[in-house]
Amino acid sequence: MSDTPESRLAALGIELPTPAAPVANYVATVRTGSLVVVSGQLPLKDGKLLATGKLGAAVSLDVGTEAAKYCLINVLAQLRAEIGDLSKVKRVVRLGGFISCAPEFTAHAGVMNGASDLAVAVFGDAGRHARSTVGVPSLPLDAPVEVEGLFEVV
């Protein structure tokens, strides 16, 4: 088996889902030149939210980290639908994470590592990226995490 992003996903036991359709007036991806922006994705697993609620309240750090991983899985599904093959990714440029949390919650970075660690596992050094992680009072459907991405592609 060749060493590709798709083979790395398979080795991790991850199968990318059918991309979710946008639920409002936006598109899932925008490509301009060699850049692809993927709109924020929720932690859907088998078509349902992995968890609901806020970090530092109903949602544990472990569940939040797993939710961030699933958000990135859904980002990658959208990206693959746009470019056809994840081997076309030259670089994960940036990930943005939104963490729905209680006011006293401060472990945002640890939660977002669920997405960042997967990006590096799938793309190697090309998966190392700039990142912002922001705590917010709520997210769509009461999701605990949402992740967006910016990718350089060939």
Side-chain angles (χ1 to χ4, degrees), residues 16-20 71-82 86:
L16 296 182
T18 300
C71 289
L72 188 68
I73 289 169
N74 290 297
V75 165
L76 296 179
Q78 296 288 359
L79 180 62
R80 185 174 69 184
E82 175 67 29
L86 294 179

Side-chain angles (χ1 to χ4, degrees), residues 43-136:
L44 297 174
K45 180 180 180 184
D46 301 324
K48 298 181 180 175
L49 284 175
L50 181 70
T52 58
K54 297 182 185 323
L55 276 291
V59 179
S60 71
L61 186 61
D62 288 343
V63 170
T65 303
E66 185 77 356
K69 173 184 161 186
Y70 274 91
C71 289
L72 188 68
I73 289 169
N74 290 297
V75 165
L76 296 179
Q78 296 288 359
L79 180 62
R80 185 174 69 184
E82 175 67 29
I83 65 173
D85 180 351
L86 294 179
S87 293
K88 294 179 181 178
V89 173
K90 285 180 64 175
R91 179 82 194 217
V92 179
V93 178
R94 179 188 178 279
L95 296 179
F98 304 92
I99 313 299
S100 179
C101 58
E104 63 278 358
F105 184 78
T106 60
H108 306 78
V111 170
M112 190 58 183
N113 280 344
S116 294
D117 291 349
L118 181 59
V120 173
V122 172
F123 297 106
D125 282 341
R128 298 192 185 284
H129 52 274
R131 178 175 103 175
S132 296
T133 306
V134 179
V136 297

Side-chain angles (χ1 to χ4, degrees), residues 7-20:
S7 68
R8 291 180 195 132
L9 282 167
L12 293 167
I14 297 171
E15 184 176 329
L16 296 182
T18 300

